[in-house]
């Protein structure tokens, strides 16, 4: 009998930031295909005999292609049982969960989506930064910074976003930080706009730095900030002074 696939969010890093449904499905899975940002403690929930397949993609390293992951999902489902496709944060926010669901849907394979706690909101929260706050920020955008390196290609219109959204949460953007900041300033955002970068948020290795649009790139370089990291741009960053509840 063909199995069922669960596309599951594993949360941002703190192993306790996982839903009860996700934990239940991980414990009962026959096969788990998991990504790089899934914590070890979460994988340890798997039952004895569960087939654990690492399919993480690491920038700059050869890794399992998305096509191969899609094929494996279909193959494993055809073998039967309960297959968990485990992803960092939420599977439908920059997680390619939608693409995998499309493959399953087209192949006629039964699946469920289990949303997870996204790093986009929880990582700033662990640094004392609410992404919205009454009178300070009424809008927030989650943006990939991955595309920013070329001004001609890419679909993110940084100059247009610059003044139209209060809080910008930039994911996968560390390598393009200088370019993103420059484009936002060119689009009319105040160069003194506060910015925070949080590396490995919600884990024991969480590290936060702050600056402004005009200083953050140099600060990030000096501090040696590396992925995974999230950049928060906007006045809400100032709230950290009062609201930080974790010492890095
Ligand atoms: C491919 S996206 C996946 C996002 C994920 N689906 C989510 O909802 O959190 C990976 C990016 O998420 C961000 N990220 C994920 N976990 C993080 C963490 N613990 N600390 C900081 N950033 C994190 C980083 O920007 C990283 O480059």
């Amino acid at each position: 009998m063909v199995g069922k696939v669960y596309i599951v969010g594993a949360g941002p890093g703190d192993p306790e930031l996982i839903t009860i449904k996700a934990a239940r499905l991980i414990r009962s899975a026959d096969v788990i295909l998991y990504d790089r940002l899934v914590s070890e403690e979460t994988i340890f929930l798997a039952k004895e005999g569960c087939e654990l397949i690492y399919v993480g993609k690491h920038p700059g390293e050869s890794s399992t292609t998305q096509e191969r992951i899609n094929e494996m999902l279909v193959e494993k489902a055809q073998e039967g049982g309960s297959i968990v496709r485990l992803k960092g944060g939420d599977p439908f926010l920059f997680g390619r969960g939608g693409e995998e669901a499309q493959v399953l849907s087209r192949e006629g394979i039964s699946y469920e989506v289990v949303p997870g706690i996204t790093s986009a909101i929880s990582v700033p929260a662990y640094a004392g930064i609410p992404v919205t706050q009454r009178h300070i920020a009424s809008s927030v955008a989650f943006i990939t910074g991955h595309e920013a390196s070329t001004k001609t290609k890419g679909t993110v219109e940084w100059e247009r976003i610059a003044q139209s959204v209060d809080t910008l949460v930039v994911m996968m953007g560390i390598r393009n930080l200088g370019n993103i900041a420059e484009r936002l300033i060119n689009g009319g955002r105040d160069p003194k706009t506060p910015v925070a970068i949080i590396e490995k948020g919600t884990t024991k290795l969480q590290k936060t730095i702050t600056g402004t649009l005009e200083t953050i790139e140099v600060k990030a370089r000096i501090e040696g900030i590396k992925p995974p990291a999230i950049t928060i741009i906007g006045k809400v960053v100032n709230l950290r002074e009062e609201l930080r509840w974790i010492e890095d």
Side-chain angles (χ1 to χ4, degrees), residues 11-13 36-37 87-95 116-120 123 170-173 198-203 227-231:
R36 187 170 61 90
L37 294 178
K87 292 170 170 290
D90 180 88
F92 275 12
L93 187 73
F94 299 128
I117 296 176
T118 179
S119 63
V123 166
V170 183
M171 303 167 81
M172 302 167 283
I198 307 141
E199 178 186 298
K200 297 190 177 68
T202 82
T203 74
I230 277 185
T231 305

Side-chain angles (χ1 to χ4, degrees), residues 125-138:
Y126 266 51
I129 303 171
V131 293
T132 67
Q133 175 92 348
R134 203 153 62 100
H135 305 312
I136 296 177
S138 307

Side-chain angles (χ1 to χ4, degrees), residues 65-102:
T65 62
Q66 188 60 48
E67 291 67 31
R68 182 64 199 126
I69 295 171
N70 296 346
E71 278 168 16
M72 273 197 274
L73 279 176
V74 173
E75 283 164 17
K76 292 293 167 192
Q78 281 163 349
E79 286 168 19
S82 171
I83 294 98
V84 165
R85 174 67 178 107
L86 197 54
K87 292 170 170 290
D90 180 88
F92 275 12
L93 187 73
F94 299 128
R96 304 192 76 163
E99 290 167 52
E100 293 174 13
Q102 278 180 317

